[in-house]
Amino acid sequence: MSNQKIIVTGGCGYIGSHTTVALQNAGYNVVIFDNLANSTPETLDRITEITGVRPMFEKIDCTDIDAVRDAFDRHGDATGVIHFAALKAVGESVSYPLMYYKNNLVSLINVLEMMTAFNIENIVFSSSATVYGAPDTLPATEDTPTRAATSPYGQTKIMAETIIRDTVAANPKMHAVLLRYFNPIGAHPSGKIGELPRGVPNNLMPYITQVACGQREKLNVFGDDYPTPDGFCVRDYIDVNDLADAHIAALRHMIDSGDDIDVFNIGTGRGLSVMEIIRTFERATGVKINYTITARRPGDVPAIWACADKAAKVLGWRAKTPLDDTMRAAWLWQQNISKN
Ligand code: NAD
Ligand code: UFG
């Protein structure tokens, strides 16, 4: 058990809330910095119900340097930062690029500046498989070349990785882990926390659960003519609780090893098609999904999945939740939010 304090920016969001649960269950003291731009304060109550501990909370916008400085001043005793705070809607980022560059990059720069000022030396950053674009060979390893992103959102991840690398290179005391998430899905098994999409979901899993509960009529399956075994797009779907655990493994490794910078793919190592996901959801929950095949979605890569060997070898972390359990948790969460 650890009683170290960890600052979790974006901790009221989807991945941040699950990571806060995992951190608190492992004995860390968590302080969340979040402006609630894409989350609600009730998440703090749910985390408290699950763990028996209420995380500390600073309602701040990480782009506001004065607010960030004040918050670091109150929590300068933290051992590390896990930086989730970002906007993440790919399509919205194409329409509002400056909002995305400002929010995602100014937040990161402010956090790094204050980490330097307060001698907080460890950061875990939420990167994405989007940095690989459509790789020439699969699975994607950490050495697969990164590609110019097709959206401002994806570009913020590439730029953020560079900003962190340069900051660590210039500061011998600083350590960083870049976690490149594949496709996070699912919810806490209690059904008390999960993904809360604003409006029409962009992502597959919340769309499926909204169709399952009757909130949407049918799922549009984007394309059936991809060069994949069944013609549908292939992704690596990682359970959000497993993803949360990866952050703890990364923190521990960073603090123990003293490595300057490390990068890890966080996925299962297995690619699944959209149709396999639909069929697995139906089997796991007993609920049929009404769908129709439509045109390909612009910008979608045909297939990507992770080589997750490095995280297994170096962090001792691997995905462990059976996909059926992930589906049932997502469905339980959807039923809980549909009630309210
Ligand atoms: P989310 O929107 O659920 O959570 C992000 C949280 O950050 C929200 O609570 C939001 O209110 C907060 N936030 C945003 N801007 C802020 C700011 N300026 N100041 C303070 N708080 C701010 O998103 P998520 O799915 O939990 O994603 C977390 C991180 O993981 C993001 O960096 C995202 O880009 C990255 N990521 C997500 C996915 C995915 O599919 N969910 C995949 C790869 C990477
Ligand atoms: N899909 C559908 N119908 C939908 C939604 C999605 O068929 O209504 C398909 C997509 O075509 C894709 C798969 O389901 O093949 C997964 O799509 P998601 O939108 O859930 O996830 P993506 O792989 O497109 O998105 C991920 C991350 C983003 C990241 C993006 C980069 O969630 O953070 O990759 O391409 F930016």
Side-chain angles (χ1 to χ4, degrees):
M1 296 292 272
S2 166
N3 54 9
Q4 292 165 336
K5 184 190 276 188
I6 306 295
I7 294 169
V8 179
T9 75
C12 289
Y14 175 43
I15 305 168
S17 59
H18 290 80
T19 303
T20 297
V21 165
L23 285 164
Q24 294 196 159
N25 284 341
Y28 290 92
N29 297 322
V30 175
V31 54
I32 291 174
F33 295 1
D34 202 307
N35 65 355
L36 304 178
N38 196 35
S39 51
T40 64
E42 286 73 41
T43 306
L44 297 166
D45 303 332
R46 303 287 132 69
I47 293 170
T48 311
E49 283 172 35
I50 295 169
T51 63
V53 179
R54 193 171 185 84
M56 291 170 274
F57 178 54
E58 300 279 353
K59 184 173 182 300
I60 57 161
D61 185 332
C62 292
T63 65
D64 177 348
I65 187 64
D66 294 329
V68 176
R69 187 183 293 107
D70 286 350
F72 268 86
D73 204 22
R74 288 189 285 276
H75 301 286
D77 55 337
T79 306
V81 176
I82 306 183
H83 184 57
F84 293 105
L87 297 172
K88 63 166 180 176
V90 176
E92 185 183 62
S93 80
V94 175
S95 304
Y96 303 99
L98 294 180
M99 182 168 95
Y100 270 68
Y101 286 119
K102 185 173 179 184
N103 191 73
N104 294 3
L105 297 179
V106 174
S107 290
L108 172 67
I109 291 167
N110 285 347
V111 165
L112 289 170
E113 258 183 20
M114 287 306 114
M115 287 178 66
T116 310
F118 287 86
N119 297 312
I120 299 174
E121 296 167 357
N122 304 291
I123 182 166
V124 179
F125 176 70
S126 303
S127 190
S128 166
T130 194
V131 300
Y132 298 123
D136 292 333
T137 54
L138 287 166
T141 73
E142 290 79 357
D143 295 326
T144 296
T146 59
R147 292 247 166 94
T150 53
S151 71
Y153 166 75
Q155 199 60 33
T156 68
K157 293 300 176 194
I158 291 181
M159 292 167 84
E161 288 199 0
T162 305
I163 290 169
I164 294 171
R165 280 183 201 284
D166 290 348
T167 305
V168 169
N171 182 345
K173 285 193 182 158
M174 188 85 104
H175 312 282
V177 174
L178 312 176
L179 296 182
R180 292 176 177 160
Y181 313 156
F182 281 66
N183 287 54
I185 59 166
H188 191 266
S190 65
K192 290 181 192 290
I193 54 172
E195 191 170 5
L196 205 57
R198 273 179 302 165
V200 182
N202 297 305
N203 297 114
L204 179 63
M205 210 49 227
Y207 211 109
I208 287 180
T209 58
Q210 289 193 6
V211 171
C213 75
Q215 193 175 330
R216 309 215 172 261
E217 193 201 333
K218 58 175 187 289
L219 170 73
N220 293 312
V221 173
F222 300 137
D224 63 352
D225 57 352
Y226 282 100
T228 57
D230 64 5
F232 297 99
C233 260
V234 169
R235 296 288 184 274
D236 184 333
Y237 295 91
I238 174 77
D239 183 276
V240 68
N241 303 286
D242 291 344
L243 174 57
D245 289 343
H247 293 78
I248 296 183
L251 258 184
R252 285 194 179 129
H253 171 74
M254 180 165 43
I255 292 166
D256 293 350
S257 72
D259 288 356
D260 297 345
I261 190 149
D262 271 315
V263 50
F264 297 100
N265 284 343
I266 303 298
T268 64
R270 184 166 64 131
L272 291 173
S273 76
V274 174
M275 197 49 66
E276 286 174 303
I277 289 290
I278 295 171
R279 296 296 177 223
T280 308
F281 181 86
E282 290 180 332
R283 191 186 60 232
T285 63
V287 183
K288 292 295 277 180
I289 297 301
N290 190 17
Y291 68 84
T292 182
I293 313 277
T294 65
R296 292 182 180 192
R297 180 172 66 176
D300 274 347
V301 301
I304 184 162
W305 66 93
C307 170
D309 294 351
K310 186 178 172 194
K313 192 168 154 216
V314 179
L315 302 180
W317 172 91
R318 48 173 61 79
K320 58 174 194 242
T321 306
L323 189 57
D324 284 30
D325 291 0
T326 305
M327 296 290 173
R328 281 191 283 267
W331 180 221
L332 182 61
W333 161 248
Q334 179 66 61
Q335 290 169 292
N336 284 344
I337 49 175
S338 302
K339 273 191 251 158
N340 301 317

